[in-house]
Amino acid sequence: MNLNELVVRLPDALFILVFLGMIIVFFFLGRKRTIRKFREIPAFAHLKRSVGLSVEAGTRVHFSLGRGGISGLTAGIGLVGLTLLDRIARATSSSDRPPVATSGEGTLAILSQDVLQSAYRNCNVEGQYEPDAGRLTGVTPFSYAAGAMAAIKDEQVSTNILLGNFGSEAALIVDAGEQSGGLIIGGTDNIATQAVLYAMAQEPLIGEEAYASGAYLGAGPAHIASLRAQDILRWVIAAIILLGALAKLVGLL
Amino acid sequence: MKSTFSILNVVIACSAGLVVLLGYFIPALANIREILLQWAVILAGFALLAGVINLLSVHFKKIGKGKIGGIYSLILILSFIAAVILFGVNGPDGSWSMLLFNSVSVPVESTLMALLTVVLAYAAIRSLRKGVSWYSILFLVTAILVLLGLAPIYGLGEIPALKELREWINGVPIVAGARGILIGVALGSIAAGLRILMGVDRPYSG
């Protein structure tokens, strides 16, 4: 790595440091606040209700984590999916039928088992844990979808959550979920699949909404702090883009 | 004991993540970063193997419990064994392996792809049934205009105005919207990564 490369990467380092600093500041500022107001995202309100109904009715929640893995550009949404899976597992820990998590990538499958076990252990119901609840259903897009569809059909699922990196095969999983008659919530980092989910899922999560799940489902003050930092930085970036366009329009750039 | 193990997991995960991130900016850490990334690749390979074992275990149990559809699980296991033997003996590029791939895998995946086309077309119509809103109308009208701009119309051929409209839709509103979404996705991914580095999110036994 030469000096030029370092100079090129300096803004990246600064951006990450600023982001980290904002999260830490908002975390300490927001720790004592008991009332928090968020923009309403209907998907999360419906999810809470649907999960509660699943516990009462003795049906399962199906969680699809996609095929993104935990390295590379698609890692972010996979990790967010695992965080949400942890929240769902805790919320359904009193149910006879624990959630089932399907994934199309090995590391996600293992981590989903680990997350489920860890959530039950923290709720003192480790006996409820089933190793098969976190499963790899296929390693190609359509074999993964076919396996997830079978899980929806076989496991008496009443709530389907798709949160991860998917291709257009997500349409087949959503269709199977719709046939089972349950609620379907879908969020992904893939833009083309977001269009598919917008058309098909009952509650699509568009863009950064999928990344806000922790803050909306009470995962702790750090999630709220990071959401606030995200919001502010998004406005800053949008302002910079608009100013750049304006400067180009008047011939300054 | 359990909490010591959990703390150790958090320390290992956070330090490894921090070294990989810092290795991107600090030349002295670049080599360690490379080594950690290679380890991650090896672990991902083992994870895949463990995932496949898990997949087989799920289907063995399904057969054992005599569940409906157990026959499909039996077919899956037999196919898996046959494929492992064939690919092991014949090699991944061998003629028998390629024959199996081209005559089973490719047609099955193509069938699902064809099914997907129907599902998507049906979903576009069904999205209007969910409730007519300005967004759903805009979504459907844009999809129809883009399709008409892409494919020549029977008897009329390609209509230049539609082609130009499609190019404008693709080049201006779609690019603007996609960039907006991508900025949100990128910020969300960075935030998720930072929360894991801080040890707040622990998608492992932490």
Side-chain angles (χ1 to χ4, degrees), chain A residues 1 6 9 79 83 111 113-114 132 135-136 139-140 142 154 168 171 178 191 198 200-201 211 222-223 226, chain B residues 24-25 48 51 54-55 57 61-62 109 116 123 126 130 135 178 185 188-189 195-196 200-201 203-205:
Chain A
M1 195 186 296
L6 267 181
R9 287 176 184 183
L79 295 169
T83 303
L111 284 173
Q113 291 171 2
D114 199 30
D132 294 342
R135 62 182 79 154
L136 177 82
V139 289
T140 61
F142 287 108
D154 294 345
S168 51
E178 194 142 88
I191 288 185
Y198 179 77
M200 294 191 72
Y211 294 87
H223 283 261
S226 78
Chain B
Y24 186 71
F25 304 111
L48 179 65
N54 166 256
L55 175 72
S57 128
K61 281 181 190 166
K62 230 168 147 182
E109 296 249 338
L116 183 66
R126 207 174 43 192
K130 278 197 298 191
Y135 287 120
V185 166
S189 293
R195 284 199 305 267
I196 288 170
V200 175
D201 278 358
Y204 45 85
S205 297

Side-chain angles (χ1 to χ4, degrees), chain A residues 1 6 9-10 12-16 19-20 23-24 27 71 73 75-77 79-80 82-83 105-107 109-111 113-115 117-118 121-122 126 131-143 146 149-150 154-155 168-172 174-175 178 188-189 191 194-204 206-208 211 219 222-223 226-227 230-231 233-234 237-238 241, chain B residues 2 5-6 9 21-27 30 33 37 40-41 43-59 61-62 65 67-69 72 76 108-110 112-116 119-120 122-124 126-128 130 133-136 139 174 177-198 200-206:
Chain A
M1 195 186 296
L6 267 181
R9 287 176 184 183
L10 198 63
D12 299 355
L14 280 175
F15 182 79
I16 289 170
F19 206 149
L20 185 64
I23 293 175
I24 292 168
F27 175 76
S71 59
L73 292 171
I77 192 77
L79 295 169
V80 170
L82 288 167
T83 303
E105 205 267 345
T107 41
I110 288 182
L111 284 173
Q113 291 171 2
D114 199 30
V115 161
Q117 189 174 22
S118 173
R121 191 190 305 130
N122 289 332
E126 203 172 350
D132 294 342
R135 62 182 79 154
L136 177 82
T137 56
V139 289
T140 61
F142 287 108
S143 64
M149 288 159 75
D154 294 345
E155 302 285 357
S168 51
E169 74 278 0
L172 297 171
V174 174
D175 192 53
E178 194 142 88
T188 181
D189 57 348
I191 288 185
Q194 282 191 21
V196 170
L197 292 174
Y198 179 77
M200 294 191 72
Q202 286 160 16
E203 296 293 350
I206 306 297
E208 72 276 8
Y211 294 87
H223 283 261
S226 78
L227 188 62
Q230 266 172 260
D231 278 347
L233 285 172
R234 199 174 61 244
I237 291 170
I241 290 171
Chain B
K2 192 63 94 178
F5 181 66
S6 300
N9 279 343
L21 178 65
L22 291 177
Y24 186 71
F25 304 111
I26 303 168
R33 175 174 167 260
L37 288 176
V41 172
L43 284 173
F46 276 103
L48 179 65
L49 191 65
V52 169
I53 293 167
N54 166 256
L55 175 72
L56 292 175
S57 128
V58 168
H59 286 278
K61 281 181 190 166
K62 230 168 147 182
K65 284 178 185 168
K67 279 188 178 177
I68 303 165
Y72 301 117
L76 182 136
V108 169
E109 296 249 338
S110 307
L112 283 168
M113 177 74 93
L115 185 68
L116 183 66
V119 167
L120 286 176
Y122 179 57
R126 207 174 43 192
S127 69
L128 280 180
K130 278 197 298 191
S133 65
W134 286 110
Y135 287 120
S136 58
F139 183 81
I174 288 182
R179 281 183 186 163
I181 289 174
L182 278 178
I183 288 169
V185 166
L187 288 172
S189 293
I190 296 170
L194 287 175
R195 284 199 305 267
I196 288 170
L197 277 183
M198 290 160 73
V200 175
D201 278 358
R202 297 168 194 172
Y204 45 85
S205 297

Side-chain angles (χ1 to χ4, degrees), chain A residues 116-187:
Chain A
L116 289 170
Q117 189 174 22
S118 173
Y120 291 135
R121 191 190 305 130
N122 289 332
C123 295
N124 295 319
V125 284
E126 203 172 350
Q128 291 248 37
Y129 171 67
E130 299 168 6
D132 294 342
R135 62 182 79 154
L136 177 82
T137 56
V139 289
T140 61
F142 287 108
S143 64
Y144 160 59
M149 288 159 75
I152 292 170
K153 192 168 165 275
D154 294 345
E155 302 285 357
Q156 287 181 288
V157 169
S158 65
T159 305
N160 287 284
I161 304 162
L162 284 84
L163 194 62
N165 178 261
F166 302 91
S168 51
E169 74 278 0
L172 297 171
I173 303 174
V174 174
D175 192 53
E178 194 142 88
Q179 283 178 28
S180 77
L183 175 77
I184 303 154
I185 291 174

Side-chain angles (χ1 to χ4, degrees), chain B residues 26-173:
Chain B
I26 303 168
L29 290 172
N31 285 337
I32 304 172
R33 175 174 167 260
E34 285 301 317
I35 292 168
L36 285 173
L37 288 176
Q38 281 168 12
W39 286 1
V41 172
I42 295 166
L43 284 173
F46 276 103
L48 179 65
L49 191 65
V52 169
I53 293 167
N54 166 256
L55 175 72
L56 292 175
S57 128
V58 168
H59 286 278
F60 267 121
K61 281 181 190 166
K62 230 168 147 182
I63 297 168
K65 284 178 185 168
K67 279 188 178 177
I68 303 165
I71 185 76
Y72 301 117
S73 297
L74 185 67
I75 292 170
L76 182 136
I77 290 166
L78 292 177
S79 310
F80 176 80
I81 294 167
V84 166
I85 292 170
L86 192 72
F87 279 74
V89 172
N90 201 231
D93 300 326
S95 57
W96 286 100
S97 306
M98 290 313 290
L99 181 73
L100 183 74
F101 181 73
N102 288 327
S103 55
V104 179
S105 277
V106 174
V108 169
E109 296 249 338
S110 307
T111 308
L112 283 168
M113 177 74 93
L115 185 68
L116 183 66
T117 316
V118 179
V119 167
L120 286 176
Y122 179 57
I125 307 297
R126 207 174 43 192
S127 69
L128 280 180
R129 274 204 338 224
K130 278 197 298 191
V132 180
S133 65
W134 286 110
Y135 287 120
S136 58
I137 294 170
L138 185 69
F139 183 81
L140 198 66
V141 168
T142 312
I144 291 169
L145 285 175
V146 170
L147 279 175
L148 288 176
L150 266 173
I153 299 169
Y154 180 72
L156 292 173
E158 201 172 69
I159 300 171
L162 275 178
K163 197 183 164 198
E164 278 173 29
L165 183 63
R166 179 184 66 83
E167 280 167 5
W168 180 82
I169 290 171
N170 270 338
V172 183

Side-chain angles (χ1 to χ4, degrees), chain A residues 27-115:
Chain A
F27 175 76
F28 284 107
L29 286 178
R31 258 192 324 174
K32 286 175 185 167
R33 283 178 66 183
T34 48
I35 301 167
R36 295 181 175 93
K37 272 197 167 182
F38 295 119
R39 171 173 70 89
E40 195 187 333
I41 299 177
F44 294 122
H46 289 160
L47 176 64
K48 281 181 192 170
R49 189 169 174 272
S50 185
V51 167
L53 288 173
S54 297
V55 174
E56 279 178 27
T59 52
R60 278 193 205 268
V61 175
H62 167 242
F63 205 114
S64 218
L65 287 160
R67 300 181 293 110
I70 56 157
S71 59
L73 292 171
T74 55
I77 192 77
L79 295 169
V80 170
L82 288 167
T83 303
L84 185 58
L85 176 64
D86 176 67
R87 302 301 307 168
I88 299 294
R90 285 167 193 257
T92 56
S93 59
S94 58
S95 168
D96 299 335
R97 289 179 164 269
V100 59
T102 56
S103 45
E105 205 267 345
T107 41
L108 275 182
I110 288 182
L111 284 173
S112 66
Q113 291 171 2
D114 199 30
V115 161

